[in-house]
Amino acid sequence: MPDSLVTLAELTALIRHRRSIKPQDLDPAREVSAELVTELIENATWAPNHGLTEPWRFHVFQGEVRKELVSLMQQTYREVTPPAEFREDKLEKIGTNPLLAPVVIACVMERRGGAKIPAIEEMEAVACALQNLMLSATAAGLGSYWSSPPLLEGASFREFLKVGGEDRCVGLIYLGWPREGLKWPRSVRQPVASKIEWRATAHA
Ligand SMILES: Cc1cc2nc3c(=O)[nH]c(=O)nc-3n(C[C@H](O)[C@H](O)[C@H](O)COP(=O)(O)O)c2cc1C
């Protein structure tokens, strides 16, 4: 058994290479196999979760059924958006994004721990799972993107996914192969020193 399966340098490279790749930057015509999607989701389920409640459910939309997803998203956008904030261009984008990505996964936090596990901890576990999923997608060469529009909280959308009273759809993960010629986006983070407060005691 090796000391580690991947080197820290390899893991660092993967983590820093992952970027949000928006649906317009994916190849809509290139399918992602069900086997690969299953493997990504299985990796998601290996995330830490308090009490092993595994508080997640993944609704995978591929092919024609994405049109149903689009229609529910547009309907819910109309329902939840105050008239002053309603935007036709946003409605249109909601209508096209899921059709540009060959796979859309609606990720739901399902409370399973009863009163013993606080809801926030179930949410935290799902966030860990989705990071696993996106890093796995990156390792496979896929683009991924986590979207969390307010409509996910709308009654019609919740009903569509059968989201229970205390449960939440935490996001849509868009997945697909990057379109030909895509310039991989760059991102930045603040210098890590600005995020650390060392509380170490100097040894005498
Ligand atoms: C919980 C969560 C929700 C997000 N929701 C959205 C969203 O609704 N729209 C969006 O454009 N990006 C969303 N993102 C993606 C972030 O905008 C993105 O991660 C950030 O810009 C950093 O870029 P990077 O992922 O390429 O490092 C979300 C990310 C997280 C973790």
Side-chain angles (χ1 to χ4, degrees), residues 15-22 93 127 130-131 134 144-150 170-172 185-189:
I15 288 171
R16 295 187 192 184
H17 181 64
R18 183 209 55 78
R19 287 279 70 75
S20 294
I21 307 295
K22 300 278 175 89
K93 205 165 161 202
L130 298 193
Q131 174 73 337
M134 292 188 295
S144 62
Y145 157 58
W146 181 339
S147 162
S148 56
V170 304
L172 303 174
R186 290 180 168 277
S187 192
V188 287
R189 296 296 187 267

